[in-house]
Each structure stands twice: as structure tokens, then as C-alpha cells.
């Protein structure tokens, strides 16, 4: 097994970004509104949600996102097979 592949979590961050965007839109927030509630810039949120950018972020931020979106945190970590 190649260690390089083990440490590449890009696909996971992309999937999380899709999930965040989905639940944000479902809740009716724009990126700007959601970013303001999170205390981050719209550009940072945009990079987290963008499928062509891998933007790692903390679990603390993920938990805060889930609280604001009124969902269980695991829903942001559900990946497609």
C-alpha cells in the first residue's frame, strides 16, 4: 500500500463541501449569510464548498456548521460509495 494515497484526503474534503452546500441551501442560507453566522469569510466558505479546491478545516468549524444548520454532524460526513 502506498503511503502517499493513505494521506490524501482530498476526495473526503470535496464530499464534505458538497454536503455543506446542500444543507446550507436546504436551510435557505446564502454563502454570505452562512459565513457570517460561522464567523468566517465568504471566500473561506466558498473554498470549502468548491469541488475544485481542497480546503481542510477544523472539526470545531464542522460542529458549528451542523449546529447552525440544525443537523447532526455526521450528516456532513456521509460519503457516496
Amino acid at each position: 500500500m502506498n503511503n502517499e494515497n493513505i494521506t490524501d484526503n482530498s476526495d473526503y474534503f470535496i464530499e464534505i463541501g458538497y454536503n455543506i452546500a446542500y444543507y446550507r441551501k436546504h436551510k435557505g442560507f446564502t454563502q454570505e449569510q452562512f459565513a457570517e453566522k460561522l464567523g468566517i469569510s465568504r471566500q473561506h466558505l466558498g473554498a470549502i464548498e468548491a469541488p475544485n479546491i481542497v480546503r481542510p478545516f477544523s472539526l470545531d468549524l464542522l460542529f458549528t456548521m451542523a449546529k447552525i444548520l440544525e443537523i447532526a454532524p455526521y450528516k456532513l460526513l456521509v460519503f457516496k460509495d
Side-chain angles (χ1 to χ4, degrees):
M1 189 177 284
N2 186 343
N3 283 342
E4 195 172 8
N5 292 335
I6 292 172
T7 60
D8 181 12
N9 294 308
S10 301
D11 291 343
Y12 292 134
F13 280 105
I14 291 168
E15 289 277 342
I16 292 168
Y18 284 134
N19 292 343
I20 292 166
Y22 170 81
Y23 286 107
R24 172 184 59 77
K25 291 172 187 175
H26 184 72
K27 193 73 176 167
F29 294 132
T30 64
Q31 278 188 341
E32 190 168 331
Q33 291 167 331
F34 192 44
E36 186 175 319
K37 288 180 178 294
L38 291 167
I40 64 173
S41 70
R42 197 227 33 94
Q43 291 81 3
H44 184 52
L45 179 60
I48 290 169
E49 291 184 357
N52 58 339
I53 299 174
V54 176
R55 177 66 62 95
F57 59 96
S58 70
L59 282 175
D60 188 55
L61 183 57
L62 183 131
F63 295 147
T64 302
M65 289 176 173
K67 285 178 189 174
I68 293 169
L69 295 171
E70 299 178 324
I71 60 171
Y74 82 87
K75 289 188 173 190
L76 297 175
L77 298 171
V78 174
F79 305 117
K80 296 178 184 173
D81 292 330

